[in-house]
Amino acid sequence: MQYDPSPLAVVIFALFVGITLGLSFWLGRKAKSAQSFFAAHGQIPWFVNGVAFAGDYLSAASFLGICGMIAFYGYDGFLYSIGYLAGWIVALFVIAEPMKRLGKFTFADALDAKFGSPGIKIAAGISTLVVSLFYLIPQMVGAGALVKPLLNFDHSTGVIVVGIVVILIVVTAGMVSTTWVQFIKGTLLVLLCGLMVGMILLRGHRTDVASTQDGAVVPSVAARESAGIFNYGAYSPGTIGHLAGIKGPINTDKLDGTSPESEAWSSRHYYRCPAQNGEDVLVVRKVPNSIEVQVCQMVKVVNGVKLINGTPQKKGEVDFRRVGQIAQLPQGGTETGPLGPLSYLSTLQESEVIVTGTDKFKDDDGIEVTIYYPKLVKGSDLLVPGGSPTFAGIKSDKFVDKLDFISLMLALFCGTASLPHILIRYYTVKDQRAARLSTIVGIASIGVFYILTLYIGLAAMTSRVLDPSDSNMAAPLLARSFGEWMFAAVSAVAFTTVLGTVSGLILAASGAVAHDLMSHGFGVQLDDNGKVRVAKISAVAVGLIAIWLGIQFQGFNVTFLVGWAFNIAASANLPSLIMLLFWKKTTKQGIITAILVGLLSSLTWVLLSKDALTKLYGYPSDVIPLVPFSQPGIVTIPLGFLTLVLVSLMTGKPEKSQEAV
Amino acid sequence: MPPRQSRAGFVLFLIYLVIYLGFIGINAFCPGLMKSTPLAGVNLAVLYGFGLILAAILMAFLYGFVGNAAGDVEDQP
């Protein structure tokens, strides 16, 4: 969808970003030593650090991706919220304090504290680099999605601008300013979402947001028809055609006024009909054994021009119809008025909702067509898992189909404690007690936020604001329905969210290069200044790679990508972390192989999965993937543990003193 | 780390793990149950999800309380 940038939104947005950057320069001017660049002197107050944890963690993916996934598929997006938070339990109860005790700057320091082996430093450094890069991809994709409606940039321009701003932040500042930026942004994000949920509950549910009906039509029918769903039991064929905007009548068994459809279309029950305006082609979907016809939206890119219903997209004139609304409320009528937090959910559960189904196939000319069709579903089906393509297998009778879900929930649980940019935040406070307290503050803020995501997502689903082509835009578009200022504030906070998280990640990655790989792994002698210089050079390099990846991965739901990053992080890092802390026989060879095996196996798996094949490399959607499901965690995390135990047992010696370095 | 703290952490971790596995188990093997509405017309899926989030916050505070009690003793010279 194309958008008009609003001057107010741009001004508020510029103010936000300007203040954030100014603050970052100001706070960072004293950060010259390695200690302060990487770990903010270990002197950040625990409360600030706790909220900064939330700031780091509530990335663009949490905010944009989860809300979007809930808005498109219902409960499934909330599964990510649950898993992301549950992961903090592992971080707090198992990892937090030992990590603080062992480490200095990076996660590799902690792993290596007992052995002093360059091999561990190199393996852990590589793993940090790969995981950070993978986690950077969704942030960059989210950034591209955000600036699109705000400043009317296209995706790649947006990604490039964000990348450059972030590189500037990291190079000039380091951990002190990153922490303060995260603190401010974490606070604003939670407060703003709280405010928005308050407004959502005050507005309640409505069947038709436009609400221009004169009362002559039953509200539920009006709502359906405005979404393009027509019941042909109620009208004569000519009337339906007229109402649906089609030239010619719509019959029960054939569509008059159209030539017979080709196999590609008719086998899917689609029929192309000329529209009344004489230019567009409207696609009508006739569901077999039903008395419904659905008027769809069709997209096709021909020679680089995006055609919507057959006409080139033009801002403000030819564009997608906004989708997502309630068709029927349990008590009838057009609106409920203000609702409580629980009655908001129970009302939705008893309502009928119109959501958007997506279908892609090859047209007769070999070019891919995407069809968005309106679909009537029961609210009670939206509020249980299994609505999205990712988790549809949960309803299947076959065990292997359920594995995607189980594997992802496992990866989310194990992944948080293995994320390098979360782990480095344990070194910005002064002792174990402060590490613990800030984790608790972090959990509380993140938990409250995740409860809010369910309301924001469901409200976006039912307020007729969604762009059917981009799930990542759900939250900002919902905000726009509350006014331009809300849209500007939400976009600005979400954008600083991206800036903050990306700079944290680049910092973690550059720390890995300068500290783990260069000075400890390969033994390059660097003084403090040299180390900071190497880190800054690698920050620029990592930033540039992230920009490139952000452009490649356009079109993925960002939280789905984060799920992958969690899989890789958990597979590569968790086995070593846990075993080092709780198993005395762990050897350095065990740690090195476990990291490399976990990293490579999960990375390979992800890159060979069906989602990667179809969305990244552009294979047709019926391609047979090389791995049985998309989320590798359930296989590769145990594989990491197994590798570590086997290698440790093979290399372990009874006398510790003989161990050579 | 004071032993009391790590033991409390481990016990809390196990409790949470059981609740979390319960959630995965019901969803994977008995999804119909998630549609039942035990309280205020809200279904089990939403209630369990909220429960998991609130339980995490509650247990975090509980752990912090135990830790601070133990930490006070540790801080004595």
Side-chain angles (χ1 to χ4, degrees), chain A residues 300-439:
Chain A
K300 193 171 165 184
V301 179
V302 181
N303 300 331
V305 180
K306 198 178 205 177
L307 303 176
I308 296 180
N309 295 333
T311 316
Q313 183 176 34
K314 198 170 168 198
K315 194 169 71 194
E317 291 172 35
V318 181
D319 216 330
F320 291 111
R321 192 172 67 224
R322 298 298 181 91
V323 296
Q325 65 192 90
I326 289 189
Q328 183 147 24
L329 290 165
Q331 69 274 37
T334 54
E335 56 188 344
T336 59
L339 289 170
L342 288 180
S343 59
Y344 187 89
L345 298 169
S346 61
T347 308
L348 182 68
Q349 203 164 283
E350 292 162 32
S351 303
E352 283 186 353
V353 185
I354 301 167
V355 295
T356 306
T358 308
D359 198 1
K360 284 183 193 205
F361 58 94
K362 283 252 163 38
D363 200 351
D364 303 323
D365 52 12
I367 300 175
E368 191 173 66
V369 199
T370 309
I371 303 277
Y372 302 108
Y373 57 93
K375 190 167 68 168
L376 200 62
V377 282
K378 289 202 183 79
S380 56
D381 288 330
L382 288 171
L383 285 173
V384 287
S388 72
T390 321
F391 297 123
I394 209 174
K395 291 176 180 160
S396 154
D397 292 331
K398 276 191 290 178
F399 180 68
V400 67
D401 291 338
K402 300 173 190 290
L403 282 177
D404 236 348
F405 163 76
I406 299 176
S407 187
L408 177 71
M409 293 312 276
L410 179 73
L412 297 183
F413 193 60
C414 301
T416 304
S418 332
L419 287 176
H421 74 292
I422 296 295
L423 290 172
I424 55 171
R425 205 155 272 300
Y426 283 117
Y427 306 123
T428 54
V429 288
K430 69 178 191 305
D431 54 17
Q432 290 174 45
R433 182 170 169 272
R436 185 170 65 233
L437 289 176
S438 45
T439 315

Side-chain angles (χ1 to χ4, degrees), chain A residues 31-375:
Chain A
K32 297 286 177 261
S33 70
Q35 239 307 339
S36 86
F37 186 78
F38 296 119
H41 293 291
Q43 288 305 322
I44 302 280
W46 59 265
F47 184 80
V48 173
N49 201 56
V51 179
F53 260 132
D56 266 331
Y57 202 62
L58 299 178
S59 58
S62 299
F63 184 56
L64 302 175
I66 292 180
C67 291
M69 211 177 219
I70 296 174
F72 272 57
Y73 305 113
Y75 194 89
D76 282 10
F78 194 54
L79 286 173
Y80 281 91
S81 296
I82 293 169
Y84 287 148
L85 188 70
W88 278 95
I89 292 291
V90 184
L92 174 63
F93 294 158
V94 184
I95 306 286
E97 291 175 45
M99 274 294 291
K100 177 69 191 163
R101 224 175 32 231
L102 291 174
K104 193 179 167 204
F105 290 146
T106 64
F107 148 75
D109 287 330
L111 274 190
D112 195 33
K114 194 167 141 197
F115 302 109
S117 139
I120 293 187
K121 286 263 162 86
I122 293 174
I126 292 174
S127 145
T128 303
L129 204 58
V130 172
V131 173
S132 301
L133 269 175
F134 230 86
Y135 203 84
L136 270 169
I137 299 170
Q139 313 301 334
M140 300 307 276
V141 174
L146 258 180
V147 291
K148 199 159 49 167
L150 200 69
L151 307 172
N152 201 22
F153 288 164
D154 61 16
H155 181 83
S156 9
T157 320
V159 170
I160 292 170
V161 169
V162 172
I164 291 173
V165 173
V166 166
I167 293 173
L168 265 180
I169 295 183
V170 176
V171 169
T172 49
M175 201 63 183
V176 182
S177 64
T178 310
T179 303
W180 283 98
V181 168
Q182 293 295 45
F183 170 70
I184 298 169
K185 166 226 123 172
T187 314
L188 284 175
L189 188 63
V190 176
L191 289 181
L192 201 64
C193 288
L195 178 69
M196 191 143 87
V197 169
M199 293 165 80
I200 289 168
L201 295 178
L202 272 179
R203 186 157 82 177
H205 287 300
R206 303 191 263 181
T207 56
D208 191 356
V209 175
S211 193
T212 50
Q213 306 302 328
D214 54 5
V217 190
V218 184
S220 63
V221 175
R224 273 176 226 197
E225 292 183 353
S226 68
I229 300 180
F230 295 88
N231 181 331
Y232 54 67
Y235 300 106
S236 71
T239 317
I240 297 195
H242 177 71
L243 287 173
I246 289 167
K247 212 150 112 186
I250 297 182
N251 246 324
T252 43
D253 42 33
K254 65 179 194 309
L255 292 163
D256 291 351
T258 54
S259 46
E261 268 302 356
S262 68
E263 174 68 16
W265 291 76
S266 64
S267 63
R268 292 178 168 80
H269 312 290
Y270 295 121
Y271 301 91
R272 284 169 288 188
C273 315
Q276 277 158 5
N277 67 9
E279 288 172 22
D280 294 358
V281 176
L282 286 177
V283 173
V284 172
R285 181 170 187 259
K286 289 188 66 179
V287 190
N289 306 321
S290 141
I291 50 164
E292 258 177 33
V293 283
Q294 301 160 342
V295 182
C296 313
Q297 308 197 63
M298 169 180 63
V299 193
K300 193 171 165 184
V301 179
V302 181
N303 300 331
V305 180
K306 198 178 205 177
L307 303 176
I308 296 180
N309 295 333
T311 316
Q313 183 176 34
K314 198 170 168 198
K315 194 169 71 194
E317 291 172 35
V318 181
D319 216 330
F320 291 111
R321 192 172 67 224
R322 298 298 181 91
V323 296
Q325 65 192 90
I326 289 189
Q328 183 147 24
L329 290 165
Q331 69 274 37
T334 54
E335 56 188 344
T336 59
L339 289 170
L342 288 180
S343 59
Y344 187 89
L345 298 169
S346 61
T347 308
L348 182 68
Q349 203 164 283
E350 292 162 32
S351 303
E352 283 186 353
V353 185
I354 301 167
V355 295
T356 306
T358 308
D359 198 1
K360 284 183 193 205
F361 58 94
K362 283 252 163 38
D363 200 351
D364 303 323
D365 52 12
I367 300 175
E368 191 173 66
V369 199
T370 309
I371 303 277
Y372 302 108
Y373 57 93
K375 190 167 68 168

